[in-house]
Amino acid sequence: MLWWDIVVVLVLVFLPWPWGVASNMQHLREQLNCHTHTQGTNSFLWQVRRHPPAYFLGTIHVPYTRVWDYIPQNTKVAFQESENIFVELDLTDPNTMSELANCQLLPNGENLSDVLPHGMYRRLKTHLQYVKRMMPQWLSADQRGRSFYADYLFEAIVGNWERKRPIWVMLVIDSLTEADIKSREIPVLDLYLAQEATRRNKRTGAVEQVEEQCIPLNGLNFTQVSLLLLLS
Ligand SMILES: *[C@@H]1O[C@H](CO)[C@@H](O)[C@H](O)[C@H]1NC(C)=O
Ligand SMILES: *[C@@H]1O[C@H](CO)[C@@H](O)[C@H](O)[C@H]1NC(C)=O
């Protein structure tokens, strides 16, 4: 889906350790074959020729388990070699998360029912009631083992929807499918890489501020967003 793609394409910058050149590094480097076709698929990895080299990787916000097996070895080696990892937004930072939540809200305490045509607002409400009813059946066996989990999850994803701008409500609606609910706890690829980087004591950071994500989306033409909402 178009707008979602705009949100999700992001850049990771890998800056490898300049001085810690272990003996096997040469061998690892030989495996790096950037921006070439690997096993018939594009690796989405670019190398910036500098000393030490830097890498750009295009990632996507989907549970990492869905794509991990298709990520070529050269990318995994670049990640392993890199000392600094920069992601789009630092989703492990609570400040980033709260800024992101705030920027999704309608201005001046407005309610979605004030800005959407009445019929569309009713349809949305009915759809969300349907999702709430279905949620217990959509959970994985593991999720189901936990009491009150369905309600908790629904609230975590949908809560406060009437205070959000239509574009963000559309993204919420888009993520309310059985498959998405089941894989909810699996980190998305870029978050997974950030978590792995932290676990391996790499330095991490973000290349974007929350407003760089929010302002373009919030500035979309209202008529067009309403149309997308209608279609989703
Ligand atoms: C938004 O408006 C609807 C309809 O008027 C109302 O039922 C709902 O409680 C309001 N939500 C919030 C968060 O104020
Ligand atoms: C928004 O898009 C609609 C349909 O494409 C167009 O008619 C309208 O002029 C646009 N509004 C603004 C404020 O750009």
Side-chain angles (χ1 to χ4, degrees):
M1 207 256 307
L2 179 66
W3 301 126
W4 190 229
D5 285 346
I6 294 173
V7 194
V8 302
V9 173
L10 67 90
V11 171
L12 288 175
V13 187
F14 298 142
L15 296 172
W17 211 327
W19 54 90
V21 184
S23 60
N24 64 348
M25 282 300 178
Q26 193 53 42
H27 171 66
L28 291 175
R29 287 223 167 78
E30 279 158 16
Q31 291 183 41
L32 288 171
N33 181 18
C34 298
H35 195 202
T36 57
H37 291 253
T38 311
Q39 295 152 5
T41 56
N42 194 303
S43 71
F44 296 106
L45 182 72
W46 286 263
Q47 181 179 26
V48 180
R49 289 212 180 86
R50 60 191 282 283
H51 298 285
Y55 301 96
F56 286 91
L57 172 67
T59 74
I60 184 166
H61 287 251
V62 297
Y64 81 96
T65 47
R66 249 192 249 171
V67 291
W68 191 250
D69 288 348
Y70 305 99
I71 294 178
Q73 193 59 20
N74 64 349
T75 304
K76 290 175 183 169
V77 170
F79 180 77
Q80 188 179 313
E81 270 199 70
S82 298
E83 189 194 29
N84 302 293
I85 306 292
F86 291 90
V87 291
E88 176 185 39
L89 277 182
D90 185 0
L91 299 178
T92 61
D93 178 0
N95 287 332
T96 303
M97 294 311 282
S98 87
E99 277 178 46
L100 203 51
N102 280 334
C103 96
Q104 297 177 1
L105 298 181
L106 284 163
N108 314 316
E110 279 174 332
N111 185 316
L112 200 61
S113 67
D114 302 331
V115 300
L116 285 187
H118 185 66
M120 192 186 290
Y121 172 79
R122 293 289 331 158
R123 274 186 53 190
L124 268 178
K125 197 160 182 152
T126 308
H127 178 67
L128 290 174
Q129 281 159 355
Y130 159 78
V131 170
K132 188 166 188 165
R133 258 197 332 275
M134 296 307 288
M135 199 76 125
Q137 283 157 255
W138 287 357
L139 298 183
S140 65
D142 174 49
Q143 289 167 327
R144 223 171 276 168
R146 284 169 263 168
S147 53
F148 307 121
Y149 191 74
D151 284 347
Y152 157 79
L153 200 56
F154 182 82
E155 205 41 47
I157 303 170
V158 176
N160 213 20
W161 69 280
E162 285 171 313
R163 292 275 297 107
K164 286 185 181 170
R165 293 168 187 264
I167 182 73
W168 297 100
V169 175
M170 187 197 75
L171 295 175
V172 167
I173 299 284
D174 253 24
S175 70
L176 290 173
T177 65
E178 182 167 359
D180 283 326
I181 296 298
K182 279 195 166 57
S183 56
R184 188 73 194 175
E185 281 146 281
I186 303 170
V188 292
L189 179 60
D190 45 321
L191 179 57
Y192 172 72
L193 289 174
Q195 288 171 343
E196 271 302 287
T198 305
R199 201 176 63 80
R200 299 183 193 189
N201 294 322
K202 295 175 190 290
R203 203 178 304 135
T204 60
V207 294
E208 281 188 13
Q209 306 280 317
V210 166
E211 59 265 32
E212 288 168 300
Q213 291 266 315
C214 267
I215 290 171
L217 280 178
N218 288 349
L220 290 176
N221 177 318
F222 181 78
T223 314
Q224 290 168 340
V225 172
S226 302
L227 189 63
L228 285 174
L229 198 49
L230 199 63
L231 296 175
S232 65

